[in-house]
Amino acid sequence: MFVAPTFRSGDREGDPAVYFRRELVVGPGLRRATLRASALGILVSYVNGTRVGDDVLAPGWTSYRHRVDLRAHDVTTLLAEGPAVLGAIVGEGWALGRLGWENTRNHYSDKPAWYAELELEYADRTETVTTDGAVRVGTGAVLSTSIYDGETHDARLEPHGWSEPGFDASGWSGVSAVEWPGELVTPLGPPIRRVEELAPVEVLTTPSGRTVVDFGQIVSGWVRFTVDGPAGTTVTLRHAELVTDGELDPTTLRTAKATDRYTLRGGGPETWEPSFTFHGFRYVEVDGWPGALDPAALRAVVVHSDMARTGWLETSDPLLNRLHANVVWSMRGNFVGVPTDCPQRDERLGWTGDIHAFAPTAAFLYDVRGVLGSWLTDLAAEQRAAGSVPWVVPDVLPHPSSPTALWSDVAVGLPAALYAEYGDPAILEAAYPSMTAFVDQVEGLLDENGLWSGGFQYGDWLDPDAPPEDPAGGKTDRHLVAAAYLCRTVRTLADAAQVLGHTADADRYGALATRVREAFRAEYVTPTGRVSGETVTAYALAVCFGLVEGPELAKAGGRLAALVAKSGYRISTGFAGTPFVLDALTATGHLAEAFLMLAEKSCPSFLYPVTQGATTVWERWDSIRPDGTLNPSGMTSLNHYALGAVASWLHRTVGGLSAAEPGYRRVRIAPRPGAGLTHATLRHDTDHGRIEVAWRVDGTTTVVEVTLPDGVTGSVELPADPDARTLEVGPGVHRWEYATLVGPAEVLDFDTPLRTLAADPAVWRSLTDVFAKHLPGIPIEATAPEAARISLNIMLDLIPGAPAAMRDDLAAALTGGTTR
Ligand code: BGC
């Protein structure tokens, strides 16, 4: 059973951790001992004074109302015949500590509680020792344990030998049993571990004279240090993501204090790291250090769920590589047990929309079956209990969630993304009741036209043009977003029903998919293929979700390309649209524009944060603005993976690998060089083995190398191949070397970006001549760099006085050349 102290504990901020102790006697002939332990709170387990296991932040965060992880550890070597002690320190963790920006606490329990069962296997019998009335409880060195605010530890207060036999616990208190509705379960996800350590890259003395250590990378975790000084000295570490005007800047933490304090025991070197908190940080301000600070005394400990890495991409462009690395780091920072929005501020919640947008990227980069399988199990449990998919899982919001696009429909989109990656129908089978419950619920909300037109929607969340105080108020009609996502969601469910052999459901949901698609088209698509509202997100969704067809597709693609050009290849989409813009451009024959977007560096753009020294993906592309100030909206995390969803396009288009069948038994390999890239190498570990794609364009020669493991076949579309070959290949290493296609590849017209026109010196020369002739006061070059991003059409719109004859001359100049 779970036991909790009889004294008051855990219902106030800053309460100390609770120390639990259970004595036992080990008999002769012990063969094996297994400890299974868990907590309502965060737990560190001990057997006879030795810390058990290398996992941290146990039991991790699940939807505790329903399930708490119970992890097994082999502790045979820690026990011998005679008296023994099981110990545990339990801090407030997610079960008791404040969660969410509204600062509510005790979401799952009023007191820290401990559960343990020690299975002792002898030759002739098995005995089990559990947390029962024999447990004694006290306090010690761990004085506060807040996830958001940090940990306080006074080493002088640690009771010597408290988790060993012989300790006098007569002054400690008894325990009471805890009533708890959930289930103890074998963990579905990997443990959270210390995965890497980073040394400081610089120690800064700030203008106000403080010491700030820079680890060079935003991570999730904490700092471990070794210090030698007098007893009673307190070292304080304040963590933050950034330094502004030379000083540590905690603005992006909001109310989270992210401060660890350690008071020295004295008498020799002491090494300490927190056990009950974690921080999202790059910088740490160190205060109270005895003597001169030696940077070698500090390490940033990177902490997250210990998943296997499965995806890599390297290109010839260092900026692009940094963007990709930032996506990986943001994933690592936000997979601390639960897929979260951000790891630093007073939030760190399992926001459903964020992981929905990011799921295909996450599944390429790491084996996420454990973490996301566990999370989906929680989602289904919460959904069953509440009747709706919560906006955050585990749900700790103070109000019920209503169904919304991109957030709640993760119930369908995430299992589908995992099925696409791993090809295992059991993923769909497990999620099926949750998937159907979501769609059935929304079907009941449709209006008489079959549209999801009412209720709250997040819309194209964080559209850069939305007012700072209304992140859901972007340019794209939020009900258009909802209706578009619903089309995809219902179609996905119908396909899943088909895969699982639920043919009646497949027919029913197939019919619903047709109905909502027709409703969308009737409401939002004009007969010639314009999409209502004419925003980049509206077109991107319509194209990628199959909502425009036939000739409309070309029209929609053209309009999309024009809008993208008009916005100077900067980003004009939020969470809903950003993952699809480059795909929509690529699918409609506008790869050049997709690469122009990818290569853009002005704010807001994919590469802008990289040019500002970002080491993770920001919540907004302009979280830090070009003048160096923080976006003042109050929602400006520097570590949010959602917009990193663009990496999926990089994997499929630059790296060139997509699964042609769920699980990569059949693949499509079609790398598309662009943006001046000269080579790229992609590796992906699938259940069949490693797939590698490498291409290189050296002057006029292209080399492509593809390696497929046993059991995998695919089609290879060779890039820049004069013969435009598509080849069928099987397992093994394949290599092609050929003369690169040169010559006319693209027709130049009034919609071609000036940047593309400028790449052809002959055409550019003719165009500048036309400008010089007709508008001698406005040389075409003078509008650069702005001009480079817009087309002649847009430019002529901007110059109302342009003589009509000029258009004819420009047309002639355009036909004078073509460019690659
Ligand atoms: C989170 C987002 C989340 C959003 C939805 C924010 O505070 O950080 O990423 O999806 O809220 O409301």
Side-chain angles (χ1 to χ4, degrees):
M1 67 183 179
F2 273 99
V3 292
T6 46
F7 55 79
R8 184 171 180 196
S9 156
D11 57 349
R12 291 157 304 188
E13 276 211 55
D15 272 354
V18 167
Y19 286 50
F20 292 97
R21 170 185 168 87
R22 168 67 160 86
E23 296 182 2
L24 64 136
V25 176
V26 176
L30 180 70
R31 291 210 165 155
R32 188 163 54 202
T34 307
L35 175 67
R36 292 185 185 82
S38 193
L40 299 176
I42 285 175
L43 161 86
V44 180
S45 299
Y46 296 84
V47 169
N48 287 336
T50 300
R51 184 172 173 153
V52 176
D54 60 358
D55 48 337
V56 297
L57 302 176
W61 189 15
T62 47
S63 182
Y64 294 145
R65 261 183 291 281
H66 306 286
R67 312 155 58 235
V68 172
D69 278 356
L70 182 66
R71 202 172 287 279
H73 290 282
D74 186 332
V75 293
T76 315
T77 56
L78 302 180
L79 289 164
E81 185 182 342
V85 173
L86 294 184
I89 307 178
V90 181
E92 60 180 42
W94 295 276
L96 287 88
R98 68 185 175 106
L99 288 175
W101 63 99
E102 281 154 310
N103 278 330
T104 48
R105 57 179 289 116
N106 295 106
H107 286 272
Y108 302 95
S109 179
D110 291 333
K111 288 190 168 190
W114 181 37
Y115 177 96
E117 54 188 54
L118 176 67
E119 200 175 86
L120 300 167
E121 292 173 54
Y122 300 96
D124 54 343
R125 68 191 191 286
T126 299
E127 286 174 6
T128 305
V129 176
T130 60
T131 38
D132 53 15
V135 173
R136 307 291 295 168
V137 60
T139 56
V142 184
L143 297 183
S144 74
T145 59
S146 165
I147 290 179
Y148 290 170
D149 297 329
E151 185 166 331
T152 308
H153 187 109
D154 185 341
R156 297 170 302 175
L157 301 180
E158 190 71 341
H160 183 71
W162 69 272
S163 62
E164 292 169 49
F167 175 77
D168 176 11
S170 57
W172 285 28
S173 309
V175 290
S176 54
V178 171
E179 293 282 332
W180 172 67
E183 206 188 327
L184 282 157
V185 295
T186 303
L188 297 173
I192 303 169
R193 289 204 174 98
R194 305 170 185 90
V195 180
E196 192 178 339
E197 293 187 9
L198 304 179
V201 295
E202 200 179 351
V203 178
L204 315 162
T205 302
T206 73
S208 69
R210 294 166 199 270
T211 303
V212 171
V213 178
D214 177 5
F215 289 99
Q217 172 63 53
I218 292 186
V219 301
S220 278
W222 50 70
V223 172
R224 181 198 302 130
F225 59 85
T226 300
V227 62
D228 193 354
T233 310
T234 298
V235 174
T236 303
L237 302 181
R238 289 205 302 141
H239 304 73
E241 293 185 313
L242 79 157
V243 158
T244 302
D245 298 331
E247 302 286 346
L248 192 83
D249 184 351
T251 315
T252 64
L253 312 181
R254 291 203 302 231
T255 69
K257 296 189 189 76
T259 302
D260 294 339
R261 288 189 186 80
Y262 179 78
T263 301
L264 277 67
R265 172 191 331 112
E270 303 170 43
T271 299
W272 183 78
E273 63 191 298
S275 301
F276 302 96
T277 188
F278 66 96
H279 312 293
F281 70 103
R282 167 175 169 171
Y283 301 94
V284 65
E285 186 180 289
V286 183
D287 192 35
W289 192 269
L293 177 69
D294 174 7
L298 279 75
R299 284 285 177 277
V301 182
V302 180
V303 170
H304 54 79
S305 292
D306 197 1
M307 308 165 287
R309 179 86 188 259
T310 54
W312 297 264
L313 176 69
E314 282 146 28
T315 75
S316 54
D317 180 353
L319 293 183
L320 212 51
N321 292 346
R322 186 65 236 193
L323 171 65
H324 193 263
N326 290 358
V327 174
V328 174
W329 273 110
S330 276
M331 172 164 180
R332 297 177 68 181
N334 283 295
F335 269 68
V336 183
V338 162
T340 52
D341 55 339
C342 57
Q344 78 297 81
R345 70 181 177 216
D346 50 4
E347 204 151 354
R348 317 188 198 183
L349 304 177
W351 278 102
T352 46
D354 303 46
I355 189 58
H356 193 185
F358 190 63
T361 305
F364 178 86
L365 294 173
Y366 280 91
D367 186 342
V368 291
R369 277 173 279 202
V371 174
L372 295 183
S374 176
W375 187 79
L376 276 173
T377 307
D378 280 346
L379 180 143
E382 301 265 27
Q383 180 190 15
R384 264 196 311 276
S388 215
V389 177
W391 293 332
V392 300
V393 174
D395 188 11
V396 288
L397 297 182
H399 39 72
S401 305
S402 57
T404 56
L406 184 57
W407 274 256
S408 326
D409 52 10
V410 73
V412 177
L414 181 55
L418 297 180
Y419 174 65
E421 176 64 33
Y422 303 108
D424 179 3
I427 296 171
L428 296 178
E429 191 77 65
Y432 194 68
S434 159
M435 297 167 87
T436 53
F438 171 76
V439 169
D440 294 348
Q441 180 187 25
V442 177
E443 184 180 9
L445 300 174
L446 299 182
D447 67 17
E448 65 284 4
N449 299 319
L451 286 167
W452 191 6
S453 57
F456 171 77
Q457 291 291 344
Y458 286 108
D460 192 20
W461 181 256
L462 286 181
D463 173 339
D465 297 316
E469 68 289 354
D470 181 16
K475 299 178 289 294
T476 309
D477 177 346
R478 59 189 84 180
H479 291 110
L480 180 152
V481 172
Y485 268 82
L486 184 64
C487 292
R488 182 174 79 146
T489 300
V490 183
R491 172 46 53 206
T492 303
L493 174 58
D495 293 347
Q498 195 69 50
V499 169
L500 297 174
H502 304 316
T503 37
D505 277 7
D507 290 347
R508 181 160 90 77
Y509 292 118
L512 181 60
T514 304
R515 180 175 162 226
V516 292
R517 182 174 181 274
E518 277 167 9
F520 181 94
R521 287 173 53 75
E523 183 78 13
Y524 296 117
V525 182
T526 70
T528 56
R530 283 189 192 236
V531 180
S532 163
E534 295 246 284
T535 65
V536 172
T537 290
Y539 279 111
L541 300 185
V543 169
C544 289
F545 298 169
L547 308 178
V548 283
E549 61 196 22
E552 297 161 1
L553 203 55
K555 174 65 163 273
R559 290 301 302 155
L560 172 64
L563 288 171
V564 160
K566 199 167 170 187
S567 60
Y569 299 97
R570 287 185 286 263
I571 292 177
S572 60
T573 49
F575 275 29
T578 306
F580 298 103
V581 186
L582 299 188
D583 274 307
L585 287 167
T586 310
T588 52
H590 296 281
L591 185 67
E593 284 85 348
F595 273 115
L596 284 172
M597 270 199 92
L598 184 67
E600 182 55 47
K601 297 182 191 67
S602 60
C603 182
S605 65
F606 291 119
L607 289 182
Y608 164 74
V610 174
T611 66
Q612 302 299 300
T615 64
T616 36
V617 176
W618 297 345
E619 181 169 21
R620 309 161 177 265
W621 297 107
D622 62 346
S623 281
I624 298 175
R625 300 181 299 184
D627 65 3
T629 58
L630 205 58
N631 186 308
S633 63
M635 274 198 7
T636 46
S637 139
L638 300 191
N639 196 1
H640 250 66
Y641 54 50
L643 295 173
V646 64
S648 174
W649 182 87
L650 292 176
H651 299 147
R652 288 175 286 112
T653 313
V654 174
L657 173 68
S658 7
E661 269 174 28
Y664 293 89
R665 186 165 290 286
R666 208 176 146 69
V667 296
R668 172 174 182 246
I669 292 172
R672 314 282 298 266
L677 295 172
T678 55
H679 61 85
T681 302
L682 171 137
R683 283 172 289 148
H684 188 36
D685 286 343
T686 70
D687 279 355
H688 315 290
R690 176 164 293 184
I691 298 175
E692 282 197 53
V693 181
W695 59 263
R696 176 174 290 277
V697 185
D698 275 336
T700 54
T701 304
T702 301
V703 180
V704 178
E705 258 186 40
V706 170
T707 308
L708 298 182
D710 281 348
V712 175
T713 59
S715 64
V716 179
E717 294 163 41
L718 292 174
D721 177 23
D723 302 326
R725 283 170 289 172
T726 298
L727 304 151
E728 287 299 310
V729 292
V733 182
H734 309 275
R735 185 172 192 279
W736 298 269
E737 184 169 341
Y738 49 91
T740 304
L741 175 71
V742 280
E746 196 182 336
V747 176
L748 305 179
D749 60 21
F750 280 76
D751 286 322
T752 307
L754 294 194
R755 181 172 293 183
T756 309
L757 300 178
D760 186 323
V763 172
W764 191 244
R765 186 61 214 266
S766 319
L767 291 172
T768 51
D769 286 351
V770 176
F771 267 74
K773 174 177 156 198
H774 291 282
L775 296 168
I778 311 180
I780 189 169
E781 308 91 321
T783 39
E786 216 46 33
R789 297 183 209 100
I790 60 176
S791 63
L792 285 173
N793 261 339
I794 294 166
M795 204 168 169
L796 292 176
D797 279 356
L798 296 173
I799 312 170
M806 183 176 171
R807 235 192 133 79
D808 298 337
D809 286 348
L810 287 172
L814 286 172
T815 51
T818 51
T819 191
R820 288 183 52 236

